[in-house]
Amino acid sequence: MKRQGVFPGVLFIGIGLYYLFQTLNLPFSDQLMNWQVILIVIGLAMIIQGSIAKEGNMLFPGILLLGLGVHFYFVTKLAVWPDSWGMYTLILSAAYLMTYYKTKKSGLVPGLLLLALSIIELLYSGLEMWLNSTFSFVGKFWPLVLIALGIYLVTKKK
């Protein structure tokens, strides 16, 4: 039997705590009063719903929202927090891998590929510069690729 009240319950608890901190004017409440925390609360509510009620379809968006909320929160608070596209692929990778871990259905291959791509991008600082310089010609000639692909598709025998 699925427990349908978990997500709304956790969501109400999170929103209530958010406004309680705001009302009481606690010393650290000004750091918690932002839109990133709302993403974190919604993500946590979805993860808890997915875990308790055994609803695997709630895990992926929950981890995605939680990861994005944490990233957007710390990118403004910590100077050492990476602010590159590798963080987004890392968050997406975590969502795929955790969903696969819980459901054992799908997501392992894209999760591992995105994880490898994230590690390469986050650890190799010159990768983005290399990609831009190596593939800069694509910006001028990509229409030719589309034309060639179209000709191939039109002339291809079935």
Side-chain angles (χ1 to χ4, degrees):
M1 180 162 121
K2 293 184 178 182
R3 296 183 55 192
Q4 298 296 327
V6 176
F7 176 72
V10 172
L11 196 58
F12 285 140
I13 290 170
I15 292 170
L17 286 171
Y18 179 85
Y19 285 113
L20 180 65
F21 287 148
Q22 190 176 20
T23 304
L24 295 177
N25 289 326
L26 298 174
F28 57 88
S29 65
D30 59 336
Q31 296 176 356
L32 296 175
M33 298 300 118
N34 52 43
W35 63 271
Q36 296 95 334
V37 173
I38 294 172
L39 282 181
I40 293 169
V41 168
I42 294 171
L44 283 173
M46 293 177 93
I47 291 169
I48 292 169
Q49 171 74 27
S51 298
I52 291 177
K54 307 277 191 271
E55 294 180 22
N57 61 338
M58 295 289 276
L59 291 175
F60 188 88
I63 293 168
L64 200 58
L65 287 174
L66 174 67
L68 288 172
V70 167
H71 171 67
F72 290 136
Y73 181 81
F74 283 116
V75 81
T76 60
K77 304 288 185 207
L78 298 174
V80 296
W81 193 267
D83 187 20
S84 68
W85 60 265
M87 286 303 294
Y88 302 111
T89 55
L90 183 64
I91 294 166
L92 199 53
S93 168
Y96 273 118
L97 292 174
M98 287 303 294
T99 302
Y100 174 77
Y101 176 75
K102 284 297 219 180
T103 63
K104 303 288 190 247
K105 290 183 181 176
S106 64
L108 181 63
V109 173
L112 292 175
L113 289 174
L114 287 168
L115 179 62
L117 184 64
S118 300
I119 290 171
I120 290 169
E121 199 284 325
L122 291 171
L123 295 181
Y124 184 67
S125 61
L127 178 65
E128 192 168 358
M129 288 180 6
W130 176 80
L131 286 173
N132 286 338
S133 65
T134 305
F135 296 106
S136 63
F137 67 91
V138 173
K140 297 176 185 172
F141 297 109
W142 69 268
L144 294 176
V145 174
L146 291 177
I147 292 168
L149 181 63
I151 291 171
Y152 171 75
L153 291 173
V154 169
T155 60
K156 179 179 89 168
K157 298 194 186 228
K158 293 182 181 184

